[in-house]
Amino acid sequence: MNGTLKRVAVACLAMIALLMLNVNWLQAVRAENLRSDARNTRNFYERYAIERGRITAGGKVIAQSVETDSKRFRFIRQYPDAKLYAHVTGFFSPESADAVEASENKLLDGSSADLLLRRSIDLFTGEPTKGANVEVTINPKAQKAAYDALRASGKRGAVVALEPKTGAILAMVSLPTYDPTELSGTDKSKVFTRYEELAKDKSQPLLNRTIAQTYPPGSTFKVVTAAAYLEDDSSRGPDTQVDAPQNLPLPNTNISLPNYGGAACGSGQVTLQYALEKSCNTPFGKIGMELGYDKMKEQTEKFGMGTQLGVPMSVAGSDFGKEEDKAALAMASIGQRSNRMTPLQMAMIASGIANGGSVMKPYLVSKITDAKGDAIDEADPEELSEAISSETADKLRTMMVSVVQNGTANLAQVPGVQVAGKTGTAETADGQPPHAWFISFAPANDPKIALAVIVESGAANVGAEATGGHTAAPIAKAVLEAVLNK
């Protein structure tokens, strides 16, 4: 009898062990495959069973869940002003999400550990689970002004604006854009077909150019070269005389670096301020070679280049380029060669100068609240780096104000406001017209906003730095006015 019981017990233990192995195999090893299996519709329907939290900007709802009459899909996502905020909100599709919808997904759908207390209370009171609300830092006036002005140019491009003292992102516009509503429906066939169309579009409407695309910065980068030059010797300033030949011979080559159109830059020697005002190539190419690669690279890193950023969306890395020879260094020092920057990085440079040399870490989410409006988390501004001394920042501010008042950026002037800025033209390798750039901050003595504008292939049929001045600077002016003229 005892032997029979033992055999039964062993058999039961073996079955339990096999059962546990099977459960672990299914829930751990095969979980991802089962979750993505087309026959598994449970997760698909559950995705729409909870009321996701709202995404708001300046008190304005830019994404929300609304209840439907469907028995299978209780809530669907809506995006007021969809195209205007597409690269901020992103989309919430049947199987994926993008931008804030993706980065804050666990908060928006209520599954975050930060909402455990709220879920417990709701369970006790019998209320349905709701996701947390996400408030972003976007200034609706700045966003609309940037969108309208960039769209009026008829070109692809991007505008990103920051609050210098905190790093809050005030505007994030990338064109062309798309309608996230089309990618947030419940009909997989329609959503996937539309996504494929957008993904294959050569104009790349799904690409957030402000943070996911790098470009040669052109002459906007000359403020970084000027910063390295001023930091190298504190006795230097806007009135320091620098060599400005009509053509700068490039070592170990048979070519020279000219100014735009081969024009002269003064009479061979000019002040550093004049060189920045007129955006002369030869003085800054020469300065870069004299400082050397290490000092130039170090200065770029102090402005945040090479630092991996999330805003919370991942930001493409900006890079000064690898060390080559003196000729390549001269070109990189005027924003060409292998020098590549995101618009956000260029806005951070402007912001750092505006903020007395301190670059703040950029961020997009300002506050998280639960369904009842109670705060869960709030942004705490954080310094990313001390890029330059306050003395150097003051000198650069003076020179950048002069660029707007007396130089290539007169179209960025805002009545009653002192604006600092720098234009740029970036040559491309694909034979297209150069890109038009502008970086800026204002008011110069108490900056409330710093920004970067790029218009792709926006420099056709106009001359020199006037490309950035004629194409990109007016876009910046519209954004500055939207923020400053209350």
Side-chain angles (χ1 to χ4, degrees):
M1 184 67 180
N2 288 338
T4 303
L5 287 174
K6 286 181 181 180
R7 286 192 292 274
V8 170
V10 169
C12 288
L13 286 173
M15 287 188 288
I16 291 172
L18 289 171
L19 181 61
M20 294 302 296
L21 284 171
N22 186 58
V23 167
N24 281 279
W25 171 260
L26 291 173
Q27 292 188 353
V29 179
R30 295 197 60 211
E32 192 57 42
N33 288 336
L34 291 172
R35 187 178 295 113
S36 59
D37 194 308
R39 294 168 295 175
N40 183 7
T41 59
R42 182 176 177 181
N43 286 338
F44 177 44
Y45 295 129
E46 285 182 352
R47 193 170 172 82
Y48 299 92
I50 291 182
E51 184 177 355
R52 287 171 70 82
R54 298 186 305 275
I55 303 175
T56 60
K60 180 183 179 66
V61 176
I62 58 177
Q64 63 185 345
S65 289
V66 294
E67 197 162 4
T68 73
D69 295 328
S70 171
K71 293 182 180 179
R72 293 186 300 172
F73 306 103
R74 186 175 177 189
F75 295 99
I76 59 170
R77 211 64 169 147
Q78 283 189 348
Y79 300 90
D81 293 319
K83 292 186 176 181
L84 176 60
Y85 293 98
H87 294 100
V88 176
T89 62
F91 56 80
F92 181 71
S93 81
E95 293 182 1
S96 64
D98 188 46
V100 170
E101 290 278 28
S103 65
E104 306 303 310
N105 180 58
K106 288 190 175 182
L107 286 161
L108 288 165
D109 72 8
S111 63
S112 170
D114 293 336
L115 295 169
L116 180 59
L117 178 59
R118 182 75 260 163
R119 290 200 302 271
S120 300
I121 294 172
D122 289 343
L123 182 64
F124 181 76
T125 60
E127 292 191 31
T129 298
K130 293 182 180 180
N133 300 313
V134 176
E135 182 178 327
V136 295
T137 57
I138 297 294
N139 179 319
K141 289 183 179 179
Q143 185 81 359
K144 184 69 161 57
Y147 179 81
D148 289 344
L150 185 57
R151 188 173 59 170
S153 74
K155 298 282 188 176
R156 299 189 298 267
V159 181
V160 59
L162 302 171
E163 185 175 63
K165 290 181 174 64
T166 65
I169 298 174
L170 302 178
M172 178 181 276
V173 171
S174 177
L175 289 184
T177 184
Y178 68 98
D179 184 349
T181 307
E182 296 177 340
L183 303 181
S184 302
T186 57
D187 187 326
K188 287 187 178 183
S189 177
K190 288 182 179 179
V191 168
F192 295 164
T193 298
R194 182 56 180 149
Y195 183 88
E196 285 297 316
E197 292 172 352
L198 291 168
K200 291 178 181 178
D201 190 328
K202 292 182 178 180
S203 67
Q204 296 180 287
L206 295 174
L207 176 68
N208 185 348
R209 288 167 164 81
T210 66
I211 60 173
Q213 181 70 36
T214 61
Y215 305 87
S219 292
T220 55
F221 189 80
K222 289 172 183 172
V223 299
V224 179
T225 304
Y229 180 70
L230 294 170
E231 286 284 282
D232 188 56
D233 185 343
S234 61
S235 68
R236 294 167 177 159
D239 295 328
T240 298
Q241 293 286 317
V242 294
D243 292 335
Q246 186 168 348
N247 292 281
L248 177 68
L250 298 178
N252 301 317
T253 74
N254 57 3
I255 60 173
S256 296
L257 173 65
N259 295 308
Y260 180 80
C265 180
S267 55
Q269 262 208 340
V270 297
T271 65
L272 185 63
Q273 178 167 307
Y274 182 89
L276 196 71
E277 281 178 14
K278 305 305 179 185
S279 201
C280 304
N281 288 335
T282 59
F284 291 99
K286 191 170 190 296
I287 286 171
M289 288 194 295
E290 289 174 351
L291 289 173
Y293 178 84
D294 289 342
K295 287 183 178 179
M296 286 297 300
K297 177 75 169 178
E298 181 183 3
Q299 186 60 71
T300 66
E301 290 173 347
K302 287 182 177 179
F303 275 111
M305 291 169 235
T307 302
Q308 189 162 1
L309 295 174
V311 293
M313 297 94 79
S314 180
V315 180
S318 296
D319 189 11
F320 182 60
K322 64 181 181 180
E323 185 173 8
E324 297 181 73
D325 54 21
K326 289 285 188 179
L329 179 58
M331 296 300 294
S333 298
I334 63 167
Q336 294 290 166
R337 191 69 179 190
S338 52
N339 192 336
R340 305 282 296 187
M341 304 289 153
T342 61
L344 176 64
Q345 178 62 72
M346 292 311 301
M348 289 166 61
I349 291 169
S351 183
I353 297 169
N355 197 37
S358 175
V359 180
M360 302 301 289
K361 186 176 180 180
Y363 65 95
L364 183 61
V365 176
S366 61
K367 189 175 183 180
I368 307 291
T369 59
D370 64 21
K372 299 297 183 182
D374 296 326
I376 297 171
D377 192 20
E378 292 189 53
D380 184 14
E382 177 185 349
E383 184 182 68
L384 180 69
S385 63
E386 191 69 34
I388 50 177
S389 68
S390 59
E391 292 79 10
T392 295
D394 288 341
K395 294 169 185 177
L396 288 170
R397 179 186 289 109
T398 297
M399 292 191 289
M400 292 174 72
V401 167
S402 189
V403 170
V404 176
Q405 292 181 345
N406 309 305
T408 58
N410 62 302
L411 292 181
Q413 294 176 7
V414 176
V417 177
Q418 196 174 56
V419 178
K422 180 68 189 81
T423 55
T425 303
E427 300 293 335
T428 60
D430 56 8
Q432 296 296 312
H435 302 320
W437 276 96
F438 186 63
I439 61 173
S440 181
F441 59 87
N445 292 322
D446 184 22
K448 300 294 191 298
I449 178 174
L451 54 77
V453 177
I454 183 170
V455 182
E456 293 183 10
S457 302
N461 303 320
V462 287
E465 292 308 304
T467 54
H470 279 209
T471 308
I475 296 172
K477 176 183 178 179
V479 181
L480 294 176
E481 287 181 326
V483 173
L484 301 175
N485 297 340
K486 297 180 181 179

